[in-house]
Amino acid sequence: MTVPHLPAIGCRWYPSSKTCCMCGAKRDDLKLSDRVYKCINSSCVAHTITLDRDLNAALNLLNASNEYVRLAQPEDTPVDK
């Protein structure tokens, strides 16, 4: 089994607190002092709510790790008969 390499997970420079956990839109205008996140994508569910910035970052890292685990799973293969 080959495990895919996803360098963004856990990378110090991964913008987890500047990226929407719902749609992936990135806000470059956030400063470190900004403690809430609101999505800039008007068609996103998160556009209508305000999230704690740390919660948004945690959800992004959770989503990325779940994707990593999904990609690392062996593909379904038919059983030999």
Side-chain angles (χ1 to χ4, degrees), residues 12-54:
R12 178 180 177 166
W13 305 114
Y14 176 59
S16 60
S17 67
K18 292 184 173 190
T19 304
C20 178
C21 64
M22 299 287 202
C23 73
K26 186 177 170 196
R27 290 192 56 186
D28 290 321
D29 62 333
L30 288 177
K31 297 180 277 230
L32 191 56
S33 60
D34 296 329
R35 300 314 312 151
V36 294
Y37 183 88
K38 186 170 181 178
C39 185
I40 57 173
N41 180 358
S42 60
S43 62
C44 178
V45 174
H47 180 72
T48 60
I49 60 173
T50 301
L51 292 172
D52 177 81
R53 191 169 168 184
D54 292 335

